[in-house]
Amino acid sequence: MRSFVVGFHQQDKVDSMQIQKLSEEDFTKATEGGTRHLFEIDTNIGFFIFFDAEGADGDVSYLVLQYEEGNDDPTACYSFQMKDFYEFMALYLNDQEYNEEAEAVEGEEADEEEYGPIHHLAHLLYHIVEEGQSLEV
């Protein structure tokens, strides 16, 4: 497991995050007690699965698996503090509400998709992937 810190742009309105990039062995230990799939998003930098897991010792981890196109095995696994993982969940859920509100507005034609919560989540993931890709675990 390798730890790293990701700093975001001031306009991202997110504090820096301490993140761990897990090896396959770390992943196995963190998920021994079971996992719970929460949500997933598909972006231009990969497909991401968000879930929590329990290790054999009862410790809970908040994890994200990254898959790249054409690869059945995950490219990376990241572990987050609960407060940071909560930020991701909030953006995902806000996007669901954002889309429902947009669909409820009748007669509104959008030429291009507005920058919404899911786009912001993808932007944050981009920074995380960029910072973590050079780490070998």
Side-chain angles (χ1 to χ4, degrees), residues 31-133:
T31 59
E32 279 181 313
T35 63
R36 181 172 54 173
H37 178 269
L38 299 171
F39 65 94
E40 54 196 46
I41 65 168
D42 195 2
T43 72
N44 61 346
I45 60 167
F47 182 76
F48 297 87
I49 298 175
F50 293 75
F51 61 102
D52 58 15
E54 187 174 324
D57 56 4
D59 289 341
V60 177
S61 298
Y62 306 95
L63 306 171
V64 175
L65 283 176
Q66 176 195 6
Y67 291 84
E68 291 180 350
E69 189 173 334
N71 197 347
D72 291 338
D73 294 325
T75 306
C77 181
Y78 300 101
S79 177
F80 297 89
Q81 295 175 11
M82 184 174 63
K83 69 178 183 63
D84 297 328
F85 196 79
Y86 181 83
E87 180 74 29
F88 300 147
M89 288 180 55
L91 286 168
Y92 179 79
L93 292 171
N94 282 339
D95 189 70
Q96 301 304 306
E97 184 177 313
Y98 177 82
N99 285 332
E100 287 174 11
E101 289 174 6
E103 290 172 5
V105 177
E106 293 185 36
E108 186 176 300
E109 288 291 322
D111 292 334
E112 60 184 68
E113 195 172 335
E114 289 184 43
Y115 185 85
I118 205 76
H119 299 101
H120 189 61
L121 175 54
H123 175 76
L124 298 178
L125 289 170
Y126 170 79
H127 286 296
I128 292 164
V129 169
E130 282 296 304
E131 195 68 36
Q133 73 183 5

